[in-house]
Amino acid sequence: MCNDINQTLKEEVRCKHSFTIHSADGFMVVRYKDADTGEYLVACGSNLPTASDIIYTLHGKWGMSKNGKYGRQFEVSYFDMEQPKGKAAIVSYFCSLKCGIGKVVSGRIYAKWGDGVWNVLESDPSQLKAVNGVTDKTVTKLMTRLKETEFQRQIIAKLGDAAAAITPKMLNDLVRYCNKNELDPLDTVEHHTYSLMQVRGFGFETVDRLARALPDFDPARSARLIASLAYIFEQKSMEGHVCVPKDELLGEMTRVLNAGFHNAVSEDSCKEALNLAYKMKIIKVTANMVYSTKSFEEETGIVKDIRRIMSASDSKITEIDTFIEEYEDANFKLADSQRDAVHGVFEHQVEIITGGPGTGKTTVTKAVLYVHQQVFGGDSNAVLLAPTGRAARRMSEATGFPAQTIHSAIGYTGVPELDNRNEGFLEGNLFIIDESSMMDQFIAAKLLSMIPDGAKVVFVGDPDQLPSVGAGNVLREMIRSKAVPTTRLSVIFRQAQDNPIVGNSLKINQGCTNLTFTNTFCFIERSAPEEILRTACAFYVKAVKKFGLENVILLNPFRNKGLLSVNEFNRQLQNLINPPTEEEESIKIRKLEFRPRDLVMQTKNTEIAMNGDIGVIHEISKMPDPDDMNRWTYIASIEFNGDGKRHDYTPEMMQDLDLAYCTTVHKSQGSEYQTVIMVVSEEHKVMLKRNIIYTGVTRAKQNVALIGQTEALNTAILNNQTDVRHTLLGDRLHAAFTVKS
């Protein structure tokens, strides 16, 4: 199969940039002026050139715009650039590189060398330092950007239309990856295409599209088959799976690899690829389940570390009852199951404490902390951990002890080059992990590997809530294994019995549809999506006025689809809560507009914030672009989790933000709000499940409003089906702690 662009080339046009009409995610619509005729034309394509006063040769073909808005337009496959000549062209080109050389400095450079500057750059670019405003750093950045720009042009020429899959940022990341590893970028793209999956943003689908554009593309090439495994494992991980049944994996491979082909890749070829991947130690196989090596090591590592921690010798503590009585005298009497839970912590090195709302998990945690202080005195070193910043803050407020996120404790940021900062064991002799149902396999494996010998570990959580967003189902699997001592709290305490949130949560969890509706736990019947949208938004605005923005959340099962999606609710609520003003700056990212006072959510792990963290934009400032002082950029000042720390976000960093007036139930885990508003509609039929309703309702402290159809609510409560997650953690734990006769 050959896709050489020279075979399909129909036209070429010499022109200069006039005006950029549209630019998003690398695809552009641009008006150019024909350098020969002086006529204007509209061109479209990937990463089109926009520097003024420079002559480009666009290669491609003529066609009609899809919506007819721009009429006849030139569809660009690739372009060439004539070396800029004259002051205007050279100044414009240097400015377009965003390397710290603006109009003024560019003018000085041209005044000194004129068109001869290109000879200087080729022979000895350090001569540019003779110009006021040019430093070593500037020269290095200029040469890097020139190299990147040339590569971009070459790669677009090589790949033609397939280059539309690559954004300018991805191209820059690719060049930096190659430079760091001393690789030739063009050679890497041409001959080692699937190695590009190591570059951020280059997933299998993007890389495969690039490979298909190359003249020697072979759909059955082993590198392609091996690469598909990484893609499939990633997709399965996003669905919560740690491993994949072998037959299912083979089926997925043939489906993915044959997309756009007619049985070009056989199942036998996929089996051979699996054998090769096994020999290369890319995969592991257990009980007909196939793992990525990383997932396998995480799962087996959890078992190994739990055995290590539980095998630590610990002298029996006989004064437990005395200390519990002291705690009760100062507070209130514990239930039998609560006393059992406290005892369990000091009888075992690892203990699980579970229970629904109102069963006193926090009370047990406080009692454990008190007893630990009495037993160990000045040697007591308790470490309180939670999966999210909000959960950590709530844990600290409830216990009076400092708490932090698991991610900060283990040094995980989501940025690979920064994630090995914390090595070795953590300091502490008691580790209490709250909301542990949210803990995915990766985080659990990393945390347990850092627990020192002799320390006690307590997992506190509700297994009936939704499992972790990441792969695995660690809490449930530990409980299922029966290898880890577990105490389940079931008694609803008197102070919680009158709370309709607690009572209704219990009913929901038991599959009972006969909920008790009150002023603080209400159901508002609405049928049409438009009515549900309008009613939910109105209720949200009213609740915000009473409790404040950060104390109210609207929960929704679906993010992207339909009128009742998270995205649509966020658009509506933003305009109701925080409409635009002429006096304040805003930042437009993708299809979103961020404004001061907006509630936002981090969607990717970074050094600043973790996926799911909630923040508030305090200010948006307009300032000169550090790469070009003649241009402007915007900086948003954002505070996350109410911690009082403000962080400056550039437009590029804000690509990883969403509005957070409304979010999914999954994203709300670990958080607690005064008021929870939840949409329950037949529009979300596939998401009408008991654990979703239960998790959403239990996020509320004071008020719950369910809005939608009674039939939809009842359907969800009666549907106790949970998504099966492929993992063998429970089986491995059971086997590890079973005494063989």
Side-chain angles (χ1 to χ4, degrees):
M1 178 178 180
C2 178
N3 290 329
D4 190 339
I5 57 174
N6 292 319
Q7 294 183 1
T8 59
L9 197 61
K10 294 184 178 180
E11 299 274 0
E12 62 181 46
V13 179
R14 292 177 71 251
C15 58
K16 291 183 178 181
H17 174 262
S18 173
F19 178 73
T20 301
I21 301 170
H22 169 79
S23 179
D25 298 325
F27 181 79
M28 304 173 71
V29 180
V30 181
R31 187 175 74 170
Y32 292 97
K33 185 176 183 180
D34 194 301
D36 300 318
T37 67
E39 296 179 352
Y40 289 97
L41 67 139
V42 174
C44 65
S46 170
N47 306 310
L48 297 181
T50 59
S52 307
D53 299 302
I54 297 172
I55 295 178
Y56 302 99
T57 301
L58 307 180
H59 303 266
K61 62 183 180 181
W62 287 98
M64 294 294 294
S65 60
K66 291 182 180 180
N67 57 11
K69 183 177 180 180
Y70 304 114
R72 187 167 177 258
Q73 63 183 22
F74 194 73
E75 299 171 0
V76 181
S77 295
Y78 71 102
F79 65 89
D80 293 315
M81 183 188 79
E82 296 183 9
Q83 190 175 79
K85 294 182 179 179
K87 181 178 179 179
I90 290 176
V91 169
S92 175
Y93 185 63
F94 280 177
C95 289
S96 73
L97 295 174
K98 295 185 178 181
C99 59
I101 298 178
K103 289 181 180 179
V104 175
V105 177
S106 298
R108 293 171 186 164
I109 293 172
Y110 187 81
K112 187 170 181 65
W113 289 289
D115 292 345
V117 67
W118 300 111
N119 296 326
V120 174
L121 291 172
E122 186 175 348
S123 62
D124 185 12
S126 66
Q127 292 184 54
L128 267 64
K129 291 188 294 181
V131 175
N132 185 27
V134 179
T135 64
D136 282 327
K137 184 178 179 181
T138 307
V139 173
T140 301
K141 201 168 185 178
L142 169 63
M143 299 308 295
T144 300
R145 288 293 295 126
L146 285 171
K147 187 177 180 180
E148 291 175 350
T149 303
E150 176 57 20
F151 169 68
Q152 291 173 10
R153 189 196 65 75
Q154 291 176 345
I155 201 65
I156 290 171
K158 188 69 181 178
L159 298 173
D161 292 341
I166 310 177
T167 66
K169 184 179 184 303
M170 290 169 64
L171 281 169
N172 291 339
D173 288 343
L174 171 56
V175 173
R176 292 180 186 123
Y177 166 80
C178 291
N179 289 341
K180 181 181 178 181
N181 294 280
E182 299 181 348
L183 302 172
D184 178 77
L186 198 60
D187 179 72
T188 302
V189 170
E190 286 188 273
H191 302 114
H192 309 282
T193 318
Y194 290 96
S195 70
L196 297 180
M197 290 176 63
Q198 300 177 60
V199 183
R200 186 175 182 181
F202 283 80
F204 176 80
E205 291 176 310
T206 298
V207 173
D208 199 50
R209 181 176 176 181
L210 303 183
R212 294 185 186 208
L214 298 170
D216 62 344
F217 175 73
D218 177 6
R221 181 177 293 175
S222 59
R224 182 172 184 256
L225 272 61
I226 296 288
S228 74
L229 286 172
Y231 170 71
I232 294 167
F233 280 129
E234 182 182 10
Q235 295 299 307
K236 293 298 181 181
S237 178
M238 292 171 64
E239 296 171 8
H241 303 298
V242 174
C243 50
V244 187
K246 186 176 180 180
D247 290 343
E248 182 179 329
L249 180 61
L250 288 169
E252 284 292 300
M253 287 181 71
T254 55
R255 180 187 65 78
V256 168
L257 294 165
N258 285 315
F261 302 104
H262 182 65
N263 297 327
V265 183
S266 66
E267 184 173 297
D268 286 341
S269 295
C270 292
K271 288 180 180 178
E272 291 175 8
L274 282 182
N275 290 332
L276 178 60
Y278 181 80
K279 292 177 182 177
M280 296 171 66
K281 299 183 178 180
I282 295 172
I283 63 171
K284 297 284 187 179
V285 182
T286 300
N288 211 39
M289 287 288 187
V290 185
Y291 294 76
S292 70
T293 298
K294 177 177 175 291
S295 293
F296 180 84
E297 290 175 348
E298 289 170 357
E299 189 174 90
T300 55
I302 289 173
V303 177
K304 178 183 176 182
D305 282 311
I306 288 179
R307 287 193 67 176
R308 172 181 61 81
I309 297 166
M310 291 181 66
S311 65
S313 60
D314 188 35
S315 59
K316 293 293 181 182
I317 303 167
T318 58
E319 304 92 343
I320 296 297
D321 285 322
T322 300
F323 296 139
I324 291 176
E325 288 171 6
E326 288 179 6
Y327 176 82
E328 290 178 324
D329 290 340
N331 296 276
F332 48 81
K333 188 173 176 60
L334 301 179
D336 289 344
S337 59
Q338 290 181 310
R339 288 175 80 77
D340 291 342
V342 178
H343 269 281
V345 170
F346 294 95
E347 290 172 359
H348 312 115
Q349 291 301 108
V350 182
E351 179 81 8
I352 298 173
I353 300 171
T354 75
T359 57
K361 295 190 296 294
T362 300
T363 298
V364 171
T365 300
K366 291 163 71 173
V368 167
L369 288 167
Y370 175 83
V371 173
H372 195 265
Q373 283 186 313
Q374 305 311 307
V375 171
F376 291 92
D379 293 328
S380 174
N381 187 2
V383 180
L384 276 60
L385 302 172
T388 68
R390 291 180 71 99
R393 186 172 63 179
R394 192 176 75 244
M395 191 182 188
S396 182
E397 291 170 350
T399 63
F401 283 71
Q404 61 182 314
T405 64
I406 302 173
H407 302 78
S408 64
I410 64 177
Y412 177 69
T413 67
V415 182
E417 56 268 27
L418 298 175
D419 283 338
N420 293 318
R421 295 176 301 176
N422 291 17
E423 296 292 337
F425 290 129
L426 299 171
E427 293 184 4
N429 53 10
L430 171 65
F431 293 83
I432 303 177
I433 300 97
D434 199 17
E435 297 283 359
S436 52
S437 64
M438 294 179 62
M439 190 173 54
D440 63 31
Q441 176 173 281
F442 167 75
I443 293 297
K446 182 68 174 175
L447 173 62
L448 287 167
S449 73
M450 299 176 73
I451 300 292
D453 293 344
K456 294 183 178 294
V457 183
V458 184
F459 295 102
V460 182
D462 184 353
D464 295 324
Q465 291 187 25
L466 291 169
S468 58
V469 174
N473 206 345
V474 176
L475 182 64
R476 273 184 171 270
E477 287 293 292
M478 287 194 298
I479 295 172
R480 185 176 72 84
S481 74
K482 296 184 175 22
V484 182
T486 301
T487 303
R488 185 171 185 101
L489 307 178
S490 56
V491 177
I492 307 294
F493 285 86
R494 185 177 299 172
Q495 60 266 36
Q497 289 176 356
D498 297 331
N499 186 338
I501 296 172
V502 174
N504 284 326
S505 298
L506 183 62
K507 288 182 177 180
I508 291 168
N509 208 24
Q510 294 173 340
C512 175
T513 60
N514 186 29
L515 304 185
T516 302
F517 296 118
T518 66
N519 290 335
T520 58
F521 195 113
C522 65
F523 183 87
I524 303 174
E525 184 80 34
R526 296 290 186 271
S527 298
E530 295 83 359
E531 292 179 340
I532 295 173
L533 178 68
R534 185 168 56 251
T535 303
C537 288
F539 200 103
Y540 183 96
V541 172
K542 185 178 179 181
V544 166
K545 289 180 180 178
K546 185 174 182 179
F547 298 108
L549 185 61
E550 294 189 35
N551 294 314
V552 181
I553 191 65
L554 198 156
L555 299 180
N556 206 326
F558 272 8
R559 175 164 292 282
N560 298 314
K561 297 180 180 179
L563 189 64
L564 298 181
S565 65
V566 167
N567 291 347
E568 182 59 33
F569 269 108
N570 271 325
R571 282 190 285 269
Q572 297 280 343
L573 291 172
Q574 182 190 38
N575 288 325
L576 289 169
I577 296 291
N578 191 28
T581 65
E582 293 183 358
E583 296 79 20
E584 294 178 310
E585 303 286 354
S586 63
I587 302 177
K588 292 184 179 179
I589 305 291
R590 306 185 307 275
K591 296 180 180 180
L592 300 175
E593 181 179 354
F594 293 101
R595 305 163 188 163
R597 295 173 302 282
D598 269 337
L599 206 61
V600 295
M601 176 180 288
Q602 185 78 24
T603 61
K604 291 182 180 178
N605 294 329
T606 68
E607 191 176 9
I608 294 173
M610 304 304 298
N611 186 0
D613 281 352
I614 302 292
V616 176
I617 300 177
H618 285 280
E619 184 182 9
I620 295 177
S621 306
K622 183 179 180 182
M623 58 184 62
D625 191 328
D627 291 330
D628 183 355
M629 299 303 289
N630 295 293
R631 299 168 63 96
W632 293 93
T633 188
Y634 295 88
I635 300 293
S637 177
I638 305 176
E639 176 188 348
F640 287 96
N641 302 316
D643 61 9
K645 300 176 183 177
R646 296 192 181 184
H647 305 275
D648 288 342
Y649 266 57
T650 65
E652 184 178 348
M653 295 165 68
M654 295 183 73
Q655 296 282 347
D656 299 333
L657 292 179
D658 264 336
L659 294 172
Y661 301 98
C662 177
T663 190
T664 62
V665 179
H666 287 80
K667 286 285 191 180
S668 73
Q669 291 185 90
S671 298
E672 207 171 52
Y673 302 87
Q674 289 284 3
T675 297
V676 168
I677 306 157
M678 192 171 179
V679 174
V680 187
S681 169
E682 292 288 345
E683 295 281 308
H684 305 144
K685 202 162 191 174
V686 70
M687 301 297 288
L688 293 177
K689 298 176 181 179
R690 183 183 301 172
N691 58 355
I692 288 181
I693 303 297
Y694 175 77
T695 302
V697 166
T698 55
R699 297 308 89 205
K701 292 194 293 185
Q702 189 170 332
N703 300 287
V704 172
L706 303 173
I707 301 173
Q709 299 119 8
T710 302
E711 185 178 350
L713 176 61
N714 292 342
T715 297
I717 293 173
L718 294 172
N719 182 7
N720 197 30
Q721 291 184 344
T722 56
D723 295 329
V724 176
R725 293 192 165 193
H726 296 309
T727 171
L728 297 179
L729 177 60
D731 297 326
R732 293 186 192 277
L733 282 168
H734 181 76
F737 287 89
T738 299
V739 179
K740 296 181 180 180
S741 58

